[in-house]
Amino acid sequence: MSDNPILVIGGGPAGLAAAKGIADLGRKAVLVEKEEYLGGTPIKEKYAALTPDFRDAEEAMGEMIKAVTDDGNVEVITNSTVTSVEGSAGNMKVSVQNGGSGKTIDVSSVIVSTGFDHFDPGEETQVYGYYEYDDVITLTDAEKMLKEHKFVKPSSGEAPESVCFIQCVGSRDRQIGNQWCSKVCCGIASKDAMEIKQILPDAKVFVFYIDLRAYGCWEDDLYWKAQEEYKVNYIKGIVTEITKQGDKLIVKGEDTTMGRPMEIPMDVVVLSTGMEPSEGTKEMAGVFNLPLESHGYIGTIGGPLNTVETSVPGVFVAGASTGPADLEDSVSMGGNAAMKACAFAMKN
Amino acid sequence: MARSIYRDRKYKDVPYEVKLDLFNQVKQDIRWKDFMKGCFECGVCVGACPTARFCDFSPRVITQTMSREDVDTFYELMNDMIWDCSQCFSSTRCPRKNSPGGIVTIMREVAVKNGLESAKDALKTYSRIIYKVMSTGTQVAPDMLQPDFFPDWGPNVKVVAENLDVWRRAIPPDTLHTTELAWDVSDKTKFQLYMIFKLTGNLELIEQVDEGIYDILGETIEELMDEYGVEADEVENILEEN
């Protein structure tokens, strides 16, 4: 049995849940975070409210962070990255780099929870003009405004009369090589659409989608609610391109269920950008020699029945480093990984 | 979105405000909240709809248009598609608990109340039936369907009328037992019907869409009033006395 601490890499929802789980099981954890703060993407990208429960993101994540930082069993190292590993199962020597200085930590097992990056919509889908038009923004840009309890046309600072969301930007697209569904964007767009209608009740809000994937209870908690109570307009059909006419953006596509082409003027277009494996996830896959699954996320070995174990003994994964994940997935996997990493430490 | 779903739009366009006013009249109906929740455009209603098998009618298009609050398309439907519904309510099986048939009911009522040309056109063929129901309270009896009176109902009226007894034998229940009673309605019933239609605002509705029937209904009741030697405002008293 190894008494060395368990290393958790990445301090987002999955990593925080994992570190707290390890500490609650009575073992030491070391949580290494690249940024100078904990909380992961919800904090970094300034999310307004969490999906699906509309809880204030900063407040909710703050509770998770405090539970970890207040726990004497967890050592938090921020502004740091893991650069290399030596040794094997049960006794790994991990190099942690903090700016110019570095140190080596002996650990018994590892949990990689390095998450995802949002797809950069200017990178390959130029048809949406993300870098050309000020009023074409992403879900995270929208979240930043909503966090300030406002929603305006970035070009003028005025309240928009019409807003649309375009789903599956950077997802489900063989052309750009991302064939997966990013799982959360339909729910998040629905949530954001409701928040926009709360601020601007008279605005027309549209969601253009390929398939509306508000799975589980998100169906009526988010999708039906947005449609029935907030009169958000859901139109099956993806926007082909965006052009500019005067002050307005023109979205062009097909209203498929009505069987007619459409060209609608919009004040603000929100691109529902999907998930990609983060830089950190790719780097950690390299450092720990973890095979990737076919989409480029870190591969696990148990199929649907073991979502956290990798083919490298003693190295576990949690959250969106394994594929698109919502918060429920991420914290559940964090807890599962904590349990399995502790069990591994006890046996080795 | 203002682009018509019909290639050959047959009605005159009106200002957006006029369409919005009609749309709001539909939404203000007391049944609206029960009939319209939200539509995810699954098409189960179209699969269930008998009319959709035979003509360009879609309960889905009606429901999704209303769900989207697409006022321009709503006005198109008011002028065309809503009159194709057979009001069988098979579409009530909607998983979102919408009632496409019910939505059509409300839209038709608003079309009639506002005297839309489409309502007049749609009801034209039924003027004799409306007259019959409103004046006697009974439907047109099978033997009344004579080619002279129903030339606009197509050649089958003649074919059926010539051998009515044979055709009617194909229908299992008795259908010719009311023919003699069809006109045999008491004066009291006629007065009552008139008052019901008058007091419930139905006479006014009919005036909106078919002035001809409205006039004939008025003449019929006036003749009756002459017979009894009463004025219009005395009809209520007659009913109370009898």
Side-chain angles (χ1 to χ4, degrees):
Chain A
M1 173 166 157
S2 170
D3 285 330
N4 289 335
I6 296 166
L7 175 67
V8 179
I9 308 168
L16 289 169
K20 182 64 181 145
I22 293 161
D24 284 347
L25 288 166
R27 296 194 66 96
K28 298 277 183 197
V30 176
L31 176 57
V32 175
E33 167 57 49
K34 180 172 68 176
E35 305 293 339
E36 61 179 342
Y37 48 83
L38 295 177
T41 306
I43 295 300
K44 185 181 174 187
E45 302 283 4
K46 296 192 165 49
Y47 287 3
L50 298 184
T51 307
D53 66 353
F54 286 82
R55 223 186 134 196
D56 182 273
E58 202 176 321
E59 182 192 295
M61 292 311 300
E63 277 177 18
M64 272 193 104
I65 294 165
K66 190 166 186 300
V68 166
T69 51
D70 281 357
D71 198 308
N73 277 338
V74 185
E75 182 192 352
V76 177
I77 308 175
T78 54
N79 284 318
S80 300
T81 53
V82 172
T83 52
S84 66
V85 60
E86 281 173 29
S88 61
N91 192 11
M92 290 182 266
K93 286 185 190 304
V94 174
S95 298
V96 176
Q97 198 70 31
N98 175 346
S101 64
K103 64 173 171 178
T104 303
I105 310 171
D106 290 325
V107 301
S108 56
S109 54
V110 177
I111 296 171
V112 178
S113 50
T114 40
F116 71 96
D117 283 341
H118 284 102
F119 178 75
D120 176 353
E123 193 183 312
E124 291 178 76
T125 50
Q126 290 295 353
V127 285
Y128 291 152
Y130 181 66
Y131 290 124
E132 281 170 73
Y133 309 130
D134 291 341
D135 297 332
V136 176
I137 63 175
T138 62
L139 270 186
T140 49
D141 297 329
E143 288 281 348
K144 282 188 186 73
M145 283 201 271
L146 293 169
K147 190 172 163 54
E148 306 294 323
H149 304 290
K150 63 168 190 176
F151 194 82
V152 297
K153 270 181 87 163
S155 64
S156 66
E158 290 165 5
E161 287 169 7
S162 53
V163 180
C164 76
F165 291 79
I166 302 177
Q167 298 306 107
C168 305
V169 176
S171 306
R172 311 177 70 195
D173 190 335
R174 188 172 268 139
Q175 298 276 3
I176 60 173
N178 294 355
Q179 294 190 38
W180 58 85
C181 161
S182 291
K183 211 173 180 179
V184 300
C185 332
C186 284
I188 293 173
S190 297
K191 184 210 65 147
D192 285 6
M194 284 189 268
E195 289 176 300
I196 290 169
K197 288 288 275 189
Q198 283 168 3
I199 297 170
L200 305 167
D202 295 331
K204 287 262 177 213
V205 180
F206 299 80
V207 177
F208 297 108
Y209 65 94
I210 304 173
D211 302 286
L212 209 291
R213 294 181 167 183
Y215 55 91
C217 301
W218 290 21
E219 176 76 14
D220 61 333
D221 285 347
L222 295 169
Y223 170 29
W224 292 16
K225 190 175 178 185
Q227 193 183 40
E228 295 179 11
E229 289 175 31
Y230 290 85
K231 300 296 166 200
V232 174
N233 237 314
Y234 286 84
I235 296 180
K236 186 174 168 69
I238 222 65
V239 170
T240 312
E241 64 173 351
I242 296 171
T243 53
K244 199 156 194 275
Q245 236 175 59
D247 291 344
K248 300 269 186 185
L249 298 162
I250 307 294
V251 300
K252 187 177 156 192
E254 190 198 2
D255 185 341
T256 59
T257 54
M258 281 294 209
R260 55 183 169 181
M262 58 179 181
E263 279 182 33
I264 315 178
M266 287 289 163
D267 288 321
V268 178
V269 174
V270 185
L271 307 178
S272 292
T273 44
M275 298 184 184
E276 288 184 326
S278 70
E279 283 308 312
T281 292
K282 288 183 226 166
E283 282 164 21
M284 289 310 102
V287 167
F288 291 96
N289 208 17
L290 304 170
L292 303 177
E293 51 78 70
S294 64
H295 305 87
Y297 293 94
I298 294 174
T300 51
I301 55 170
L305 302 181
N306 184 346
T307 54
V308 298
E309 198 163 344
T310 72
S311 57
V312 177
V315 179
F316 302 88
V317 284
S321 55
T322 66
D326 58 19
L327 288 166
E328 295 95 311
D329 291 339
S330 298
V331 298
S332 303
M333 289 169 85
N336 190 2
M339 182 269 288
K340 283 202 162 68
C342 287
F344 183 87
M346 288 162 72
K347 288 181 201 158
N348 290 278
Chain B
M1 293 277 269
R3 191 180 161 129
S4 173
I5 58 170
Y6 299 108
R7 285 200 188 131
D8 51 342
R9 197 149 62 173
K10 294 183 281 288
Y11 59 91
K12 222 175 75 190
D13 207 9
V14 295
Y16 181 80
E17 292 67 32
V18 177
K19 300 175 188 177
L20 187 63
D21 176 50
L22 291 168
F23 183 77
N24 286 332
Q25 287 183 42
V26 172
K27 270 176 60 180
Q28 277 152 16
D29 189 281
I30 195 169
R31 295 159 293 183
W32 177 250
K33 280 192 158 50
D34 291 325
F35 290 172
M36 181 74 248
K37 309 289 184 190
C39 177
F40 45 32
E41 303 166 17
C42 66
V44 74
C45 53
V46 177
C49 174
T51 311
R53 295 184 66 181
F54 299 102
C55 60
D56 191 10
F57 172 75
S58 167
R60 166 182 59 78
V61 165
I62 286 168
T63 312
Q64 81 186 68
T65 298
M66 300 312 283
S67 174
R68 292 173 176 191
E69 304 202 323
D70 177 350
V71 174
D72 287 308
T73 309
F74 154 79
Y75 188 69
E76 295 189 23
L77 302 178
M78 288 284 274
N79 280 285
D80 201 316
M81 197 186 273
I82 59 165
W83 301 105
D84 292 334
C85 174
S86 59
Q87 291 282 281
C88 70
F89 292 88
S90 300
S91 50
T92 309
R93 67 178 62 182
C94 170
R96 294 282 287 273
K97 274 205 169 182
N98 299 312
S99 173
I103 294 166
V104 168
T105 309
I106 300 176
M107 289 169 78
R108 284 182 175 181
E109 287 176 11
V110 168
V112 169
K113 277 179 196 154
N114 289 272
L116 260 59
E117 282 303 318
S118 70
K120 292 179 187 174
D121 283 348
L123 295 176
K124 216 170 264 174
T125 337
Y126 297 98
S127 58
R128 285 145 297 194
I129 292 170
I130 294 170
Y131 170 70
K132 182 70 176 61
V133 170
M134 290 186 80
S135 61
T136 66
T138 52
Q139 250 284 10
V140 173
D143 63 342
M144 293 177 193
L145 289 169
Q146 295 299 322
D148 289 349
F149 300 111
F150 291 85
D152 52 328
W153 278 32
N156 282 341
V157 172
K158 186 169 183 285
V159 175
V160 173
E162 278 168 5
N163 286 296
L164 186 65
D165 186 48
V166 177
W167 286 97
R168 286 279 155 170
R169 256 182 268 157
I171 303 172
D174 225 356
T175 60
L176 291 172
H177 61 304
T178 59
T179 49
E180 284 177 22
L181 292 167
W183 291 105
D184 189 15
V185 177
S186 78
D187 291 344
K188 185 186 172 187
T189 300
K190 287 179 189 169
F191 275 127
Q192 280 177 329
L193 282 169
Y194 183 77
M195 288 312 295
I196 288 169
F197 291 130
K198 189 180 165 67
L199 294 174
T200 53
N202 276 279
L203 275 181
E204 273 173 61
L205 271 186
I206 290 302
E207 194 181 9
Q208 288 282 334
V209 289
D210 197 328
E211 231 173 310
I213 301 181
Y214 176 78
D215 290 344
I216 298 170
L217 282 170
E219 282 163 23
T220 312
I221 206 73
E222 268 168 34
E223 272 173 36
L224 207 57
M225 285 191 286
D226 283 350
E227 222 171 279
Y228 280 75
V230 294
E231 299 294 321
D233 52 5
E234 290 175 293
V235 172
E236 274 177 85
N237 299 336
I238 291 184
L239 292 176
E240 275 167 25
E241 281 163 23
N242 285 289

